[in-house]
Amino acid sequence: MKSFRDFLRGFKPKYRVAHDRSLGIPTKASASPDVVERLLYEGYMRRMRTTGEANLNLDCENLRAFPPSRKLYVQLTKYPQEVIPAMDQVLKDIMLELAEEDQTEGMEGMQGREGEEEITEIMSKVYKVRPFGLPAVNMRNLNPGDTDKLICIKGLVIRATPVIPDMKVAFFRCLTCNHTVQVEIDRGKIDEPAACPREVCASVGTMSLVHNRCEFADRQVIRLQETPDAVPDGQTPHTVSLSVYDELVDVSKPGDRLVVTGIYRSVPVRVNPRQRTIKSLFKTFLDVVHVRLGQDSRLGLDGSTRPAGGDRVPGVGGGVGEEDLEDQEEGLVTRKAEMEKKLKELSERDDIYELLSRSLAPSVWAMDDVKKGVLLQLFGGTNKSIARGGGGGGPRYRGDINVLLVGDPGTSKSQVLQYVHKLAPRGVYTSGKGSSAVGLTAYVTRDPDSKQLVLESGALVLSDGGVCCIDEFDKMSDATRSVLHEVMEQQTVSIAKAGIITTLNARTSILAAANPVGSKYDVNMPITRNIDLPPTLISRFDLLYLVLDQVDEAIDRKLAQHLVGLYLEDAPETGGQDILPVDELSAYITYARSRVNPIITEEAGEELVLCYGKLRRVGEDPRSSEKRITATTRQLESMIRLSEAHARMRFSTHVELEDVQEAYRLMRDAIRTSALDPMTGKIDMGMLNTGTGQQQRKMREDMRKEVMNLLGTSGAGATRGIRWGDAMQQLGAQSSIRVDAGEFKEVINALEAEGLVKVVGERDRRMIRRADA
């Protein structure tokens, strides 16, 4: 206790600087000599008094850096259960001392009655020290030798239980003489008195627990799983149970990455709850003393998907989000401010759009438009809630952009996906056949501890506020794919399973890659025949890119040189152009996503209306009376989202004309490649929305008339019918274009469904007859 007291009253930042230098860690230069000479923890404790916080976050490296307390560091890591309560006591004593010193000095807010009130408040509070900053170990390396020691691990939260009450002080009453006694918890156990403590009574086994006089604390059990990048190849990820108490309850939710410091505990498990025999195998868990929400080098999450108050981990001093406060006090130009300045300078460059799209997957050659689309997807539009909409408080209009890449094999679709997954926040990467419908949404299991049915979040729910990459989209089973309909437009997952009826949030962008049917894109067939996906799903993607493998000698030569260059030396020859490193790119996108929420200006709004009109008018054809649908309101909303993302990319607070024009260009090019009708060479949105284009419907109508004519005219044909092959031959003889067997079958099926014709016989001997013949 004495050495911890010396540490709190005597630690100065200069010790840490010297310690870091001795270990060879680069330190930042201080603005003035007195900055490193101030008493760090006294400042923190005064801040705790003014903010009313009861937790002090203690960086263990500081304990090591302060020469008199080095031994204390070792004791803290080896015997945390004994050392931490002693530290709590010292903290409270020093808080009182400081308050009394400030009162005698007549500091502001500590004079007279105010000071007395402050001191009584400090007396009544329970203060806690929360140590952190130990080197993190891998979950797999936890072994019985770590039991009852202080350790630090990293992981991904996969589930959190509701709040459980946890007994701190037990209240016993003797049944014979009504004598009462309170027993405090000691190292996680409460000892029930065997006999009544009064000498007069001293009857054995009469003490009974009085529930509503006991004191309880909040407790929550969290399952922490290894992060995918830490799992060794070919192994299944490990999980660890965490117990969090009081202020740390509900700090994190499933899908978060955490850095957790705690005491590794093991408890015996009884074979049968009614007997005293216990198993030789112990159950282990981690008693958490400090939680940090880990932001790695990946992108930040979408702020609008988080709780309203933001993610604050309780406590003062060295927590996440505290650094900038400290640095402002120190008057230092920190790395963060330097980074911000650099990012702002970047955003003012004229070619920032080109630069960023080049930096995205630099090892993939060309594919500029695809990269631009994916880049805008990473920035995302702004989420809006409109008050006057339906559903109380209005629907939430999504700002997430969905992108589908369809193309020939070997056009580096998966490379782009892998790259985005490395960058994207809270991302999940899954492959078509390897995921099931419940794996994507949520599944019901029995909780091993409470034996209750609980919901486990699936991939899409875990990537709430992030990007979900799905490869081999065409090889998914239909049941799995049907889950995505709701996720992509409404951004929720509704579930009614085993008596649990609920709606979960899945506010995620989806980036999918698929191969065409027969693995090579056939230019002469409409897109719906090429991509075996339901039209309802295709129309939910904002951008649909065809990545085709075209044969062109000059392009092939360049591509081959680029690829061989990658193997020769790992410095992709991006045409001598500069590209941003990954960490800068992700810092840029994070900054834009968290700080910039562009609003649409008047002229941009007018331009959006004009562009939508243009897209709709593509279908007008003066020579024919029918109109083709070339765009729907979904395209308009997509354009709004894309223009917001483009404005966000320039760090602009308003969506301007150029943003809308770029969004229109991307949409138009994406539609032009995907919704082109190969027979007419015209754009027909109906092909994406319903699966059949205008031209196709017209052809089927003509064919249908001819088939009825054939059946009506041929003398014998009217009664006996006509053979399948002959009918096709006769139709082919009359027609200028080839009769497609698939189309012919569709037409006959439709006629059969209407009850106009009957098909009898099998395979080659099929006969088509009129139903009334």
Side-chain angles (χ1 to χ4, degrees):
M1 283 169 91
K2 182 181 173 304
S3 87
F4 186 55
R5 155 175 295 230
D6 294 346
F7 168 77
L8 284 182
R9 302 292 310 238
F11 180 78
K12 295 173 180 173
K14 64 175 182 183
Y15 294 111
R16 178 67 188 264
V17 173
H19 175 69
D20 285 353
R21 282 188 187 148
S22 67
L23 293 177
I25 301 168
T27 55
K28 52 189 180 189
S30 56
S32 61
D34 53 336
V35 167
V36 291
E37 286 293 338
R38 72 198 166 101
L39 294 169
L40 186 69
Y41 282 97
E42 287 195 6
Y44 284 159
M45 287 191 278
R46 289 202 169 96
R47 195 192 304 164
M48 280 167 71
R49 194 178 64 221
T50 49
T51 55
E53 276 279 1
N55 295 327
L56 175 72
N57 293 326
L58 170 77
D59 193 343
C60 295
E61 276 300 312
N62 289 347
L63 273 179
R64 266 176 77 188
F66 189 60
S69 66
R70 276 202 189 131
K71 191 172 167 198
L72 184 63
Y73 171 81
V74 179
Q75 286 165 337
L76 174 66
T77 49
K78 286 192 177 163
Y79 316 107
Q81 296 191 17
E82 288 81 1
V83 176
I84 293 177
M87 285 184 165
D88 295 349
Q89 190 55 48
V90 175
L91 176 63
K92 184 162 184 174
D93 296 347
I94 296 188
M95 286 292 291
L96 279 170
E97 279 173 33
L98 274 179
E100 279 158 10
E101 281 171 27
D102 290 352
Q103 193 182 17
T104 48
E105 284 171 19
M107 203 172 145
E108 186 191 349
M110 289 301 293
Q111 299 141 351
R113 260 193 60 215
E114 280 183 273
E116 293 298 330
E117 280 170 13
E118 280 283 354
I119 289 175
T120 37
E121 197 182 329
I122 292 173
M123 296 284 283
S124 65
K125 270 195 182 162
V126 179
Y127 285 96
K128 295 196 186 90
V129 173
R130 298 201 178 277
F132 73 99
L134 295 170
V137 294
N138 192 338
M139 266 181 219
R140 291 171 185 270
N141 305 342
L142 293 180
N143 57 24
D146 291 322
T147 312
D148 288 343
K149 293 209 176 83
L150 197 67
I151 54 164
C152 172
I153 55 173
K154 290 180 179 178
L156 184 80
V157 180
I158 50 172
R159 74 157 177 255
T161 62
V163 180
I164 312 161
D166 187 54
M167 195 179 287
K168 282 278 174 259
V169 178
F171 188 93
F172 292 100
R173 180 190 284 139
C174 172
L175 293 176
T176 49
C177 68
N178 282 346
H179 176 68
T180 59
V181 59
Q182 280 191 332
V183 183
E184 290 212 354
I185 188 168
D186 179 40
R187 299 195 204 173
K189 291 190 188 66
I190 289 179
D191 292 326
E192 182 183 354
C196 176
R198 267 180 80 198
E199 281 108 33
V200 187
C201 174
S203 44
V204 179
T206 58
M207 303 301 284
S208 77
L209 187 72
V210 183
H211 268 109
N212 47 0
R213 296 286 300 276
C214 300
E215 287 177 22
F216 294 94
D218 291 347
R219 171 167 176 254
Q220 188 182 27
V221 180
I222 293 176
R223 294 292 289 179
L224 199 70
Q225 184 176 317
E226 271 181 301
T227 46
D229 41 84
V231 183
D233 293 346
Q235 305 255 354
T236 51
H238 269 211
T239 57
V240 172
S241 283
L242 312 177
S243 268
V244 295
Y245 300 96
D246 300 325
E247 298 88 7
L248 297 181
V249 168
D250 280 342
V251 163
S252 60
K253 59 178 200 176
D256 289 347
R257 285 160 191 267
L258 297 185
V259 182
V260 178
T261 311
I263 305 166
Y264 194 55
R265 290 261 174 93
S266 58
V267 286
V269 185
R270 289 190 174 185
V271 178
N272 179 350
R274 300 211 180 98
Q275 293 171 353
R276 291 195 56 183
T277 45
I278 54 175
K279 295 183 184 174
S280 58
L281 198 67
F282 279 56
K283 195 171 87 181
T284 57
F285 66 95
L286 200 68
D287 247 346
V288 176
V289 290
H290 186 274
V291 170
R292 234 172 104 178
L293 292 168
Q295 297 284 342
D296 311 336
S297 59
R298 305 168 68 105
L299 290 187
L301 332 159
D302 185 349
S304 64
T305 63
R306 304 297 293 176
D311 298 310
R312 280 273 357 263
V313 176
V316 165
V320 174
E322 288 279 331
E323 289 97 337
D324 37 351
L325 268 175
E326 286 157 38
D327 295 336
Q328 281 165 15
E329 289 170 12
E330 294 173 22
L332 298 178
V333 178
T334 59
R335 275 210 313 258
K336 201 168 175 189
E338 278 175 18
M339 194 68 168
E340 276 187 24
K341 192 168 150 231
K342 190 171 178 187
L343 295 179
K344 288 211 170 95
E345 280 171 15
L346 267 176
S347 71
E348 281 157 13
R349 286 178 54 165
D350 294 338
D351 62 338
I352 179 68
Y353 190 34
E354 265 64 36
L355 173 70
L356 289 174
S357 62
R358 273 203 308 272
S359 315
L360 189 79
S363 59
V364 177
W365 187 76
M367 283 174 66
D368 295 331
D369 262 5
V370 176
K371 283 187 190 177
K372 282 177 180 171
V374 173
L375 180 73
L376 291 187
Q377 178 186 31
L378 282 174
F379 279 103
T382 49
N383 295 318
K384 292 169 283 297
S385 285
I386 303 222
R388 288 198 304 246
R396 177 181 173 284
Y397 288 111
R398 70 181 167 102
D400 300 305
I401 297 167
N402 300 320
V403 181
L404 174 64
L405 310 177
V406 180
D408 300 334
T411 46
S412 65
K413 299 186 296 294
S414 299
Q415 287 288 339
V416 175
L417 255 69
Q418 284 283 8
Y419 192 86
V420 169
H421 176 244
K422 291 248 180 346
L423 256 182
R426 288 186 67 143
V428 175
Y429 181 90
T430 105
S431 171
K433 271 277 185 268
S435 44
S436 63
V438 283
L440 283 177
T441 55
Y443 47 101
V444 177
T445 65
R446 276 204 190 282
D447 186 33
D449 305 327
S450 63
K451 303 285 184 286
Q452 297 276 322
L453 285 175
V454 290
L455 263 189
E456 297 262 328
S457 303
L460 287 171
V461 182
L462 285 180
S463 60
D464 183 23
V467 178
C468 183
C469 303
I470 306 177
D471 208 352
E472 309 295 348
F473 195 59
D474 51 321
K475 305 190 183 46
M476 273 187 160
S477 64
D478 289 340
T480 315
R481 224 182 284 133
S482 62
V483 166
L484 292 169
H485 287 234
E486 183 190 2
V487 172
M488 286 169 69
E489 202 59 53
Q490 272 70 43
Q491 300 214 302
T492 53
V493 174
S494 304
I495 280 171
K497 293 178 182 173
I500 299 175
I501 300 165
T502 180
T503 303
L504 304 168
N505 282 327
R507 295 163 289 199
T508 161
S509 313
I510 289 179
L511 174 62
N515 284 348
V517 177
S519 89
K520 182 91 183 78
Y521 195 89
D522 185 349
V523 197
N524 301 323
M525 300 246 272
I527 187 161
T528 39
R529 299 282 289 280
N530 269 306
I531 310 176
D532 187 21
L533 293 177
T536 46
L537 195 60
I538 295 181
S539 69
R540 282 180 165 87
F541 282 102
D542 297 293
L543 293 171
L544 192 155
Y545 283 112
L546 290 185
V547 192
L548 302 185
D549 191 0
Q550 277 148 351
V551 182
D552 175 334
E553 194 172 339
I555 296 177
D556 293 348
R557 182 181 296 272
K558 275 186 186 165
L559 177 61
Q561 277 169 350
H562 171 81
L563 261 178
V564 173
L566 278 181
Y567 282 95
L568 281 175
E569 52 174 338
D570 188 18
E573 185 56 52
T574 47
Q577 298 155 326
D578 56 333
I579 55 171
L580 289 182
V582 175
D583 50 344
E584 274 183 39
L585 178 66
S586 74
Y588 189 93
I589 297 178
T590 305
Y591 186 83
R593 283 177 71 130
S594 56
R595 306 285 177 85
V596 187
N597 286 319
I599 317 163
I600 295 180
T601 55
E602 192 120 344
E603 56 169 357
E606 284 165 14
E607 180 70 15
L608 277 166
V609 175
L610 277 175
C611 290
Y612 180 59
K614 270 192 228 164
L615 279 177
R616 292 283 283 189
R617 274 201 305 279
V618 178
E620 283 181 10
D621 188 353
R623 288 167 305 173
S624 66
S625 56
E626 84 261 355
K627 284 194 173 176
R628 300 191 312 281
I629 295 178
T630 51
T632 61
T633 44
R634 272 191 181 153
Q635 271 69 43
L636 174 62
E637 287 195 338
S638 300
M639 258 183 346
I640 295 175
R641 280 193 282 272
L642 287 166
S643 45
E644 280 173 352
H646 192 269
R648 208 175 229 189
M649 183 211 67
R650 297 183 298 118
F651 286 3
S652 157
T653 48
H654 289 90
V655 178
E656 285 154 23
L657 214 57
E658 50 174 307
D659 303 316
V660 179
Q661 281 158 354
E662 171 60 20
Y664 172 64
R665 187 191 70 78
L666 278 173
M667 285 291 308
R668 196 191 56 214
D669 290 3
I671 287 180
R672 180 177 294 160
T673 53
S674 61
L676 210 72
D677 191 337
M679 292 173 181
T680 56
K682 293 186 185 133
I683 291 176
D684 188 353
M685 210 61 208
M687 288 173 46
L688 287 186
N689 292 340
T690 59
T692 51
Q694 184 72 40
Q695 187 67 20
Q696 231 170 336
R697 283 197 290 275
K698 202 169 155 198
M699 248 176 57
R700 284 183 186 176
E701 198 51 47
D702 295 349
M703 202 185 288
R704 178 196 155 123
K705 278 185 201 154
E706 282 306 311
V707 169
M708 291 313 286
N709 282 349
L710 281 177
L711 288 175
T713 52
S714 53
T719 51
R720 219 182 68 232
I722 186 167
R723 287 177 70 164
W724 188 280
D726 296 349
M728 273 192 68
Q729 257 176 352
Q730 288 186 25
L731 283 178
Q734 305 174 13
S735 164
S736 56
I737 48 177
R738 191 175 64 84
V739 174
D740 190 313
E743 291 284 328
F744 181 68
K745 190 176 173 193
E746 288 279 330
V747 171
I748 299 293
N749 286 352
L751 284 171
E752 203 173 7
E754 284 174 37
L756 295 174
V757 299
K758 281 199 304 232
V759 177
V760 286
E762 284 296 312
R763 286 198 190 85
D764 296 344
R765 291 208 292 279
R766 278 182 294 192
M767 297 285 286
I768 305 167
R769 291 184 187 162
R770 289 183 69 139
D772 47 11

